[in-house]
Amino acid sequence: QVQLVQSGAEVKKPGASVKVSCKASGYTFTSYYIHWVRQAPGQGLEWMGIINPSDGSTTYAQKFQGRVTMTRDTSTSTVYMELSSLRSAETAVYYCASGYNYGRDAFDIWGQGTMVTVSS
Amino acid sequence: EIVLTQSPGTLSLSPGERATLSCRASQSVSSSYLAWYQQKPGQAPRLLLYGASSRATGIPDRFSGSGSGTDFTLTISRLEPEDFAVYYCQQYGSSAWTFGQGTKVEIK
């Protein structure tokens, strides 16, 4: 079945970087964009950016420009999201999501989420 | 960036009642690019509606969406126990996607 499986929980110190992976299966990896969305504890959803697995092109939310990098590895059908200069307020669950059935803009397939804790 | 404002923040209702959730955009949004999600504690969001009013596969017909321009509505005709959750609207425009802050539907 179509699914996105993310890497495990991370604990980082302030100022460090984190790299989260999202492995796609059950469909043609290069045919569907993947988004990254995060959610701080008890808070709402925040869109971070999008990557086109076909050519690796990206668009990032203005808030994260210069600190986020999204890449992909077509040989393993995996996308990566790296966020640098982490702050404690960025403790959150980070999700990858794809618009598989209804187009790029409606996220119907979600990863299970990766908890990133930023703490000294 | 288009800002989505959802109201109310919390809706307290009983099973069987009708729920009406609002999503207002800071500028006009194409209906094609407006979606609604449901999220329960500890779970990833679940797509309910896309294109403002089209239900995703497996979504019961008690969920419906309407609206255009800057005002959109999610209606749950008769609340079932499993519908108590947080609901988010989301849009795409100007090369960016944004979410509303969410409406919590809680049991009264």
Side-chain angles (χ1 to χ4, degrees):
Chain A
Q1 73 280 25
V2 175
Q3 61 178 349
L4 300 172
V5 178
Q6 299 183 222
S7 49
E10 302 264 12
V11 179
K12 296 293 181 181
K13 294 191 182 303
S17 297
V18 68
K19 191 171 186 177
V20 180
S21 69
C22 171
K23 183 175 176 59
S25 62
Y27 69 93
T28 302
F29 175 68
T30 52
S31 294
Y32 301 92
Y33 291 78
I34 290 181
H35 300 261
W36 287 91
V37 176
R38 75 178 184 182
Q39 185 171 38
Q43 302 302 308
L45 302 169
E46 183 175 32
W47 180 77
M48 300 180 67
I50 181 175
I51 182 168
N52 180 350
S54 178
D55 62 8
S57 59
T58 55
T59 300
Y60 303 135
Q62 191 167 8
K63 174 177 180 176
F64 300 102
Q65 293 271 5
R67 284 203 306 132
V68 71
T69 304
M70 297 176 188
T71 56
R72 95 294 192 206
D73 181 343
T74 56
S75 69
T76 60
S77 299
T78 302
V79 299
Y80 300 91
M81 186 283 298
E82 184 170 22
L83 187 63
S84 63
S85 303
L86 288 166
R87 303 178 270 266
S88 57
E90 297 188 291
T91 292
V93 177
Y94 289 74
Y95 293 102
C96 59
S98 180
Y100 177 73
N101 283 299
Y102 311 110
R104 180 194 59 176
D105 311 302
F107 310 166
D108 61 324
I109 307 296
W110 290 72
Q112 82 276 21
T114 296
M115 183 70 210
V116 176
T117 302
V118 184
S119 174
S120 55
Chain B
E1 170 182 298
I2 297 175
V3 176
L4 298 178
T5 301
Q6 293 185 240
S7 61
T10 302
L11 202 48
S12 297
L13 295 168
S14 300
E17 290 194 292
R18 182 185 188 91
T20 302
L21 287 67
S22 173
C23 175
R24 179 161 291 177
S26 59
Q27 56 187 279
S28 186
V29 171
S30 168
S31 296
S32 298
Y33 299 137
L34 195 286
W36 288 92
Y37 299 82
Q38 176 193 68
Q39 188 179 33
K40 297 179 180 178
Q43 297 183 15
R46 174 194 183 196
L47 177 68
L48 296 176
L49 303 173
Y50 63 97
S53 61
S54 297
R55 280 185 297 276
T57 301
I59 303 303
D61 61 6
R62 63 180 181 273
F63 291 91
S64 63
S66 63
S68 64
T70 59
D71 290 296
F72 297 88
T73 300
L74 170 67
T75 301
I76 311 171
S77 59
R78 288 177 54 87
L79 283 164
E80 296 288 340
E82 61 268 26
D83 299 337
F84 292 91
V86 179
Y87 293 84
Y88 295 94
C89 58
Q90 171 241 319
Q91 69 82 39
Y92 164 71
S94 303
S95 299
W97 287 257
T98 55
F99 290 90
Q101 83 279 16
T103 290
K104 181 179 182 179
V105 178
E106 65 176 23
I107 300 176
K108 185 175 182 179

